[in-house]
Amino acid sequence: MLVGGLDDEGRPVVHLGTKGPLTQAVRDRIVRRMELPVPPLAKYDDLLMRIIFGHELGHVLQADPEFENLFGTIDRRTYIPEDNYLAYLYSDKEMNADYIAACLVSSTDLGQKLAIPAPKFPPLQWRNWAVTHH
Ligand SMILES: [Zn+2]
């Protein structure tokens, strides 16, 4: 598993090799935010892994100041899901990373084959996408 982003002091942080189960809550969040067909597709796990990779890549992109111009100001506070799940779920960092994942996955062969919708909002309006994908 890859987890990346900035810590509370603004330092880049990447964790590689952490292993953990994909919880039903995470699966539900991905299905809801990416507008995936329900019931699950045949290539569901493959698709989920691409979305998760896109999401974590989103955190890496957020850590690059160049991308702040692309997405506008992102609230960089980090919330721990076990401490405050809703604050974590609706934080700028998580919603923006999901927007980035939606952009990436919708443009892949698999995403197009499965008709995963590309966000209709440009990067500076990623919050508009987030409002309709919560
Ligand atoms: Zn995240």
Side-chain angles (χ1 to χ4, degrees), residues 2-79:
L2 165 67
V3 179
L6 295 178
D7 67 11
D8 288 338
E9 278 87 50
R11 296 171 302 207
V13 177
V14 176
H15 297 281
L16 291 171
T18 304
K19 201 171 180 182
L22 193 57
T23 64
Q24 191 60 46
V26 171
R27 286 176 177 269
D28 291 346
R29 164 185 163 183
I30 292 171
V31 168
R32 203 172 51 250
R33 287 198 176 158
M34 301 297 151
E35 298 181 33
L36 301 183
V38 176
L41 306 154
K43 291 192 166 188
Y44 202 59
D45 284 344
D46 185 29
L47 181 63
L48 288 181
M49 294 316 297
R50 289 172 197 228
I51 292 169
I52 290 168
F53 179 78
H55 175 95
E56 300 306 340
L57 178 62
H59 286 312
V60 174
L61 294 176
Q62 290 167 355
D64 185 337
E66 292 282 317
F67 281 89
E68 192 136 83
N69 298 328
L70 190 61
F71 297 115
T73 303
I74 295 173
D75 183 345
R76 298 191 180 278
R77 279 178 288 183
T78 298
Y79 298 94

Side-chain angles (χ1 to χ4, degrees), residues 110-124:
L110 181 59
Q112 290 182 356
K113 200 180 300 177
L114 299 173
I116 304 301
K120 294 177 182 70
F121 298 96
L124 262 179

